[in-house]
Amino acid sequence: MALTHAMHDMRDEMHDLAHIAEVDGARQGYLAMWGTFIALPLLYGLDKFAGFMNVAWGDFLASWVHDVLPGSGDTELYTLGVIELGIAALVFFMPRVGGDVAALYMVLFAVNFFAMSGMAIFGIGSLALAFCAVAMARMSTTWHHHDG
């Protein structure tokens, strides 16, 4: 029965996302953030494996991250890619929990960026995304009723 409710919510959210101009402003805000926090980690996660964005992801990792993540080089990026794909799925199915996890991930990346010379602007951007992820998670308590 819970799966039936979750599928109904997904249908409602996908319908409203496709017809976003027809829903009220608060719902539009939630759907925009929900879609963003599915799309960004999904694209970033897939790019860690496929490299279609031509980004040198390893250049965005502080030395302490290399010490924390298992393996080196590509293995570290694959680990981050799997985490990002998991976050995208979590936001899709359980936006309340997924938003908090996405926020935590963004805060960790902000710490990573602040530890690197010349990357503070990315740290500030990551913190802004973290606050938006928390807002989306809280909005989901109104707009998405069937989180675990």
Side-chain angles (χ1 to χ4, degrees):
M1 184 154 165
L3 181 59
T4 304
H5 289 294
M7 294 308 291
H8 179 66
D9 271 359
M10 284 300 119
R11 246 192 336 258
D12 288 347
E13 287 169 349
M14 296 309 285
H15 175 270
D16 286 353
L17 196 55
H19 299 92
I20 198 162
E22 300 169 13
V23 298
D24 70 51
R27 177 92 170 135
Q28 286 177 358
Y30 165 71
L31 290 170
M33 287 194 287
W34 180 70
T36 297
F37 285 106
I38 294 168
L40 285 179
L42 180 65
L43 289 173
Y44 291 167
L46 289 173
D47 192 57
K48 301 289 190 309
F49 293 96
F52 53 86
M53 289 195 276
N54 296 320
V55 175
W57 290 108
D59 294 345
F60 291 91
L61 298 177
S63 60
W64 70 268
V65 177
H66 295 290
D67 296 336
V68 172
L69 292 176
S72 63
D74 288 343
T75 306
E76 293 171 342
L77 295 180
Y78 295 151
T79 301
L80 292 175
V82 168
I83 291 168
E84 290 162 350
L85 293 173
I87 289 170
L90 201 54
V91 170
F92 184 80
F93 290 109
M94 298 186 338
R96 172 68 178 84
V97 175
D100 288 341
V101 172
L104 175 62
Y105 189 73
M106 290 291 110
V107 167
L108 290 173
F109 255 93
V111 170
N112 166 70
F113 288 132
F114 288 129
M116 299 172 67
S117 178
M119 298 291 245
I121 190 70
F122 291 111
I124 292 167
S126 293
L127 288 177
L129 284 171
F131 283 112
C132 291
V134 169
M136 184 276 305
R138 297 312 172 270
M139 291 171 77
S140 75
T141 61
T142 298
W143 297 111
H144 185 96
H145 300 289
H146 299 288
D147 273 359

